[in-house]
């Protein structure tokens, strides 16, 4: 997910793994032209690794890395490259070192495959965002009031509590901070794309959307692109405590 120069020949890498969660490791000799990792250490690539675990406050030692799949969009499409960086940033910000999330790893891998193979970009990103929120326990409530649990009446606009974590009924809205008005169209899209978050079918949907030439049409109307991204960007900013750096790079219709 991240590579930082450590010396003339080595670097420090941050990796998101299926079995061990986020790992920080020293890759000795990785910057040599003919180093021990044979060019496997590349941003957004899928690799197989062998590493030595160290104490909790020390870097692990990366000993082997074999490239399985490279992220090709880095060479041909800036919008998709930025989307890939955004996925990596989300994984970094939402997880802790040594805390494995196998389902999140799989969703991240399938999302990057979808981005790389031409899937509708905004749909793919939003579906991954909702899956990630489910896996870390912060999926927003979209059907019932997040405070009292009562069903929220359908209307043209919904009160959405960024800090509270979901829609609010008329009784619970007064006095709440971080409340914005969200159109029913945006809520409907979030319900649709987030309906399978965390279920066995969500990975299949991500994978199907990622198949090159699948002809999967985008489900998000261009008219709500801006509002939808504003809702998601602000929700993550409230959750994490700061705005994600790559969030402004996720555009609208031109990135579909």
């Amino acid at each position: 997910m991240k590579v930082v120069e450590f010396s003339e020949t080595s670097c420090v890498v941050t990796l998101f793994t299926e079995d061990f969660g986020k790992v920080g490791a020293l890759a000795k000799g990785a910057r040599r032209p003919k180093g021990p990792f044979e060019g496997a250490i590349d941003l957004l690539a899928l690799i197989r690794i062998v590493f030595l675990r160290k104490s909790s406050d020390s870097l692990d030692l990366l000993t082997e890395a074999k490239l399985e799949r490279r992220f090709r969009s880095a060479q041909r499409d800036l919008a998709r490259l930025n989307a890939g960086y955004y996925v990596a940033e989300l994984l970094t910000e939402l997880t802790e070192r040594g805390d494995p999330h196998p389902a999140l790893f799989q969703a991240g891998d399938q999302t990057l495959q979808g981005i790389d193979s031409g899937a509708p970009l905004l749909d793919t990103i939003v579906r991954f965002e909702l899956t990630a929120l489910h896996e870390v326990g912060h999926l927003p409530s979209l059907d019932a009031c997040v405070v009292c649990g009562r069903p929220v009446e359908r209307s043209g606009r919904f009160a959405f509590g960024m800090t509270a974590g979901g829609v609010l009924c008329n009784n619970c809205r007064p006095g709440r901070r971080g409340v914005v008005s969200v159109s029913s169209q945006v809520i409907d899209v979030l319900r649709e794309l987030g309906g399978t978050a965390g279920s066995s079918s969500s990975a299949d949907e991500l994978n199907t959307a990622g198949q090159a030439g699948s002809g999967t049409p985008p489900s998000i109307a261009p008219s709500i692109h801006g509002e939808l991204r504003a809702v998601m960007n602000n929700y993550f900013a409230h959750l994490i405590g700061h705005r994600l750096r790559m969030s402004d790079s996720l555009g609208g219709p031109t990135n579909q």
Side-chain angles (χ1 to χ4, degrees):
M1 292 193 297
K2 186 178 181 181
V3 180
V4 178
E5 294 180 2
F6 181 76
S7 67
E8 291 185 2
T9 60
S10 304
C11 60
V12 173
V13 296
T14 302
L15 307 169
F16 190 66
T17 70
E18 186 171 14
D19 296 325
F20 302 97
K22 188 162 58 180
V23 171
L26 176 63
K28 293 184 177 180
R31 300 184 63 210
R32 292 173 183 162
K34 296 183 179 180
F37 305 113
E38 301 178 350
I41 299 177
D42 192 15
L43 292 174
L44 306 180
L46 178 68
I47 61 177
R48 292 190 178 275
I49 64 172
V50 176
F51 67 100
L52 299 177
R53 300 299 299 269
K54 299 293 185 179
S55 61
S56 59
D57 58 348
S58 301
L59 287 172
D60 298 325
L61 181 62
L62 190 66
T63 59
E64 295 181 33
K66 180 180 179 180
L67 180 67
E68 293 285 318
R69 186 180 64 250
R70 202 177 298 278
F71 187 76
R72 299 296 181 183
S73 287
Q75 304 169 5
R76 62 178 184 265
D77 192 322
L78 180 59
R80 291 182 180 273
L81 174 61
N82 287 337
Y85 285 156
Y86 178 74
V87 170
E89 186 178 12
L90 268 185
L91 291 173
T92 300
E93 294 288 353
L94 291 177
T95 61
E96 299 293 334
R97 183 178 176 184
D99 182 19
H101 289 275
L104 183 54
F105 173 88
Q106 294 163 12
D109 179 42
Q110 288 156 355
T111 298
L112 290 175
Q113 289 186 65
I115 293 171
D116 211 13
S117 60
L121 195 53
L122 188 54
D123 294 59
T124 303
I125 287 295
V126 174
R127 185 178 285 110
F128 173 70
E129 288 174 321
L130 296 170
T131 300
L133 288 169
H134 177 273
E135 290 300 320
V136 300
H138 289 286
L139 186 68
S141 175
L142 299 170
D143 294 301
C145 176
V146 68
V147 176
C148 69
R150 296 174 181 172
V152 176
E153 292 184 12
R154 290 188 58 85
S155 61
R157 311 287 298 182
F158 287 80
F160 187 95
M162 293 289 175
T163 303
V167 295
L168 298 163
C169 68
N170 292 333
N171 292 332
C172 296
R173 175 177 180 170
R176 297 274 171 184
R177 292 185 175 183
V179 178
V180 297
S181 176
V182 180
S183 69
S184 59
Q185 293 95 326
V186 167
I187 297 297
D188 287 343
V189 166
L190 292 177
R191 286 171 174 166
E192 177 185 351
L193 295 181
T196 56
S199 71
S200 59
S201 63
S202 61
D204 293 334
E205 288 188 9
L206 280 168
N207 193 42
T208 299
Q211 293 175 358
S214 64
T216 305
S219 62
I220 302 175
S223 60
I224 64 169
H225 283 181
E227 183 184 9
L228 178 57
R229 282 281 15 120
V231 170
M232 297 306 295
N233 291 347
N234 283 307
Y235 186 66
F236 279 111
H238 278 77
L239 177 62
I240 295 170
H242 62 86
R243 191 174 180 85
L244 293 168
R245 291 184 303 159
M246 296 304 301
S247 62
D248 290 335
S249 69
L250 301 176
T254 58
N255 287 347
Q256 287 291 321

